[in-house]
Amino acid sequence: MAKKNKPQAENGQKIQTKYDRKMEARRKQEEKDKRDEKIFRISLIAVCVVIMAAIAGSVGVSVWNKRSATKDAYVTIGNHKVTKLEYDYYYQATLNNYSSLMSYMGVDTTSDLANQQYTENLTWKDFFDELTVEQIKQTKALTDDAAANGFTYDTGEEYAVAVSSLQTGAESAGVSVKEYYKTIYGEYATEKNMEPYLKEGILSNAYYDHLIEQNAPGVQEIKEYYEQNVQSYDKVDYRSFIFDAEAAEGASEEEVNKAMSDAKSKAEAMLEARQGGADFKELCVENATEENKASYEDSETDASLREGAYYSGTPAAISDWLYEDGRAEGDITVIEDTEGNRCYVVQFINRYYDEADDENISNTIASQKTSDYVNSLIEGYNITDNKGELKYLTVETESGSAPEENGTDEAAQ
């Protein structure tokens, strides 16, 4: 039996059947799948390489920033190279010291200080940068001088107290001690690397106290200082009563003058009654408003009496009269306070010096001497802004004025 010949194309090639075409399509799809898988693997490797490079770069930048912050000079003060780590310690400490005052100073603690103007050319960050540098200068000058003069101090006990306080602060804040150090002193702060700065501060404070003791004046110096500042340290005892001008809010000048005239008439009537022998306290009760009468009627106190008042602690309207030379016990007068729209009836009792103020005068003299001495020390501590971050050093020079501080290097070297 003859075999059937398979169909041939006219050019002699084999004609593909439906089955052949199906198998050929499968073969091509398999080749495409293998090619796509190879491309995917290559792409995946490339992506992983990029991700790993990014991670390595990030870690590298972080390590570099930390090394720079802990090793490189951020600012040089005198011959002391201060790192960013140390600078941040003092900067944060300065902010913490002013934290309770910032709202009164107009500082918004919720936003960046570098974006809040302190003056036309300076921000609040510049303000606190300057305070920080001055604090570092003083600390370095004191510790250097302490070493030069052989002063030593055991900082162990006070340091332990400081560490305990920080631990308590962390507990109160609900964070770890590690995180608390970063919050208080900067992102690279740790208990270990903050230790030398805390101890240096303790030493400088101890040396400052030592200088105060060394500068304590003798008896004669205290006496001479008192004689030159008698009015500041003498005290007075006196009685007074106030008649307020009863003028309505928004009253005209004429109405205010009429109210002041009425108040003065009442004050003069009380003066005459006192000169006639009436008791001062009883006259106060008699003339007091219903609102104030109870305080004058109190049998255990005398609301009209002031004892041991310094010049600075007496109302400005009556202080000069009370401290006038030759003022004698029993002197009494009426004094108009036009700024306060009131009249005083004032009776002088006594003026004297309290020897307990010897200690206050001694502290004042010692503090002034010590302050002058420390200021003389820090004059030689020039500033080099190594990183160019301390704007306050250059802003005046840029505007054509002299630098704020003599001997200050104004820009990074």
Side-chain angles (χ1 to χ4, degrees):
M1 185 173 179
K3 293 182 180 179
K4 288 186 178 181
N5 292 329
K6 292 184 179 180
Q8 298 290 324
E10 292 181 359
N11 60 6
Q13 291 181 347
K14 178 182 177 181
I15 297 176
Q16 287 186 328
T17 65
K18 183 176 180 181
Y19 174 79
D20 291 332
R21 289 195 296 273
K22 181 177 180 181
M23 294 303 293
E24 178 67 14
R26 178 180 294 179
R27 183 183 63 79
K28 289 182 179 180
Q29 182 63 44
E30 289 175 352
E31 289 179 355
K32 181 177 182 301
D33 290 344
K34 289 180 180 180
R35 189 165 57 250
D36 290 346
E37 182 180 358
K38 184 177 180 181
I39 293 172
F40 175 76
R41 286 200 305 269
I42 293 172
S43 299
L44 180 61
I45 292 171
V47 170
C48 289
V49 169
V50 171
I51 292 174
M52 292 303 293
I55 292 173
S58 176
V59 171
V61 169
S62 178
V63 170
W64 172 257
N65 287 343
K66 182 176 182 180
R67 183 195 177 285
S68 178
T70 57
K71 301 295 183 183
D72 296 347
Y74 181 76
V75 59
T76 301
I77 297 180
N79 60 359
H80 295 276
K81 293 186 181 300
V82 178
T83 65
K84 185 68 163 59
L85 175 72
E86 183 175 5
Y87 185 86
D88 284 349
Y89 161 77
Y90 281 99
Y91 183 82
Q92 291 301 134
T94 300
L95 292 182
N96 292 336
N97 288 338
Y98 276 80
S99 60
S100 62
L101 300 174
M102 286 190 182
S103 60
Y104 298 101
M105 297 163 65
V107 182
D108 181 2
T109 57
T110 64
S111 62
D112 191 346
L113 297 181
N115 296 328
Q116 300 180 59
Q117 292 302 124
Y118 164 58
T119 65
E120 181 179 353
N121 298 319
L122 296 172
T123 66
W124 278 109
K125 181 183 182 301
D126 300 321
F127 173 83
F128 287 110
D129 274 333
E130 183 171 7
L131 290 181
T132 298
V133 169
E134 291 305 309
Q135 182 58 55
I136 298 174
K137 284 171 66 175
Q138 179 169 307
T139 300
K140 299 300 183 185
L142 284 168
T143 52
D144 288 347
D145 199 56
N149 288 291
F151 176 83
T152 59
Y153 185 77
D154 184 359
T155 60
E157 184 176 347
E158 288 186 48
Y159 175 70
V161 171
V163 169
S164 177
S165 177
L166 287 163
Q167 292 171 344
T168 300
E171 291 176 4
S172 298
V175 298
S176 67
V177 172
K178 181 179 179 180
E179 287 301 315
Y180 194 68
Y181 268 84
K182 294 180 184 299
T183 301
I184 297 297
Y185 297 126
E187 64 177 313
Y188 299 115
T190 66
E191 182 174 342
K192 183 178 180 180
N193 62 26
M194 289 296 102
E195 181 177 348
Y197 309 141
L198 286 165
K199 287 185 174 180
E200 184 178 52
I202 293 169
L203 174 62
S204 67
N205 288 337
Y207 185 59
Y208 189 89
D209 291 341
H210 169 73
L211 291 175
I212 291 286
E213 292 177 4
Q214 294 296 105
N215 285 311
V219 174
Q220 184 59 31
E221 190 174 357
I222 291 174
K223 181 180 179 181
E224 291 173 357
Y225 186 89
Y226 163 69
E227 290 173 350
Q228 295 168 6
N229 299 274
V230 170
Q231 186 167 275
S232 296
Y233 288 96
D234 271 1
K235 296 179 178 181
V236 292
D237 299 338
Y238 68 95
R239 294 181 184 277
S240 68
F241 185 82
I242 296 173
F243 288 91
D244 288 311
E246 298 177 359
E249 185 176 351
S252 65
E253 182 178 352
E254 182 179 357
E255 290 171 330
V256 171
N257 290 338
K258 174 63 168 58
M260 276 294 291
S261 178
D262 292 341
K264 184 177 181 181
S265 296
K266 293 176 182 178
E268 289 175 341
M270 179 175 172
L271 171 67
E272 292 178 7
R274 174 58 178 159
Q275 289 174 329
D279 180 76
F280 198 99
K281 181 176 180 178
E282 290 179 0
L283 288 171
C284 291
V285 173
E286 181 181 323
N287 287 281
T289 61
E290 290 300 319
E291 182 182 1
N292 297 324
K293 192 178 292 292
S295 63
Y296 288 105
E297 290 176 331
D298 190 336
S299 60
E300 296 183 0
T301 61
D302 188 343
S304 70
L305 178 64
R306 284 287 308 279
E307 295 178 302
Y310 291 105
Y311 179 89
S312 60
T314 57
I318 66 174
S319 54
D320 286 342
W321 183 84
L322 287 169
Y323 278 82
E324 188 176 287
D325 288 341
R327 182 67 54 223
E329 182 178 359
D331 285 355
I332 188 169
T333 190
V334 169
I335 297 176
E336 291 183 73
D337 177 9
T338 54
E339 290 188 8
N341 291 330
R342 56 181 52 178
C343 285
Y344 288 85
V345 177
V346 188
Q347 184 163 33
F348 179 83
I349 299 174
N350 192 21
R351 174 176 171 175
Y352 54 94
Y353 175 71
D354 185 347
E355 291 185 356
D357 275 325
D358 282 356
E359 183 176 354
N360 293 330
I361 292 177
S362 177
N363 290 338
T364 298
I365 294 173
S367 295
Q368 186 59 59
K369 286 183 177 180
T370 301
S371 179
D372 291 343
Y373 178 70
V374 173
N375 287 337
S376 71
L377 290 177
I378 65 178
E379 284 179 0
Y381 285 70
N382 295 338
I383 305 167
T384 300
D385 184 8
N386 300 84
K387 299 296 184 180
E389 296 290 337
L390 302 179
K391 178 184 173 184
Y392 82 90
L393 292 174
T394 59
V395 66
E396 287 199 7
T397 299
E398 291 171 356
S399 65
S401 303
E404 292 184 358
E405 184 172 333
N406 293 329
T408 297
D409 293 330
E410 296 144 7
Q413 300 299 309

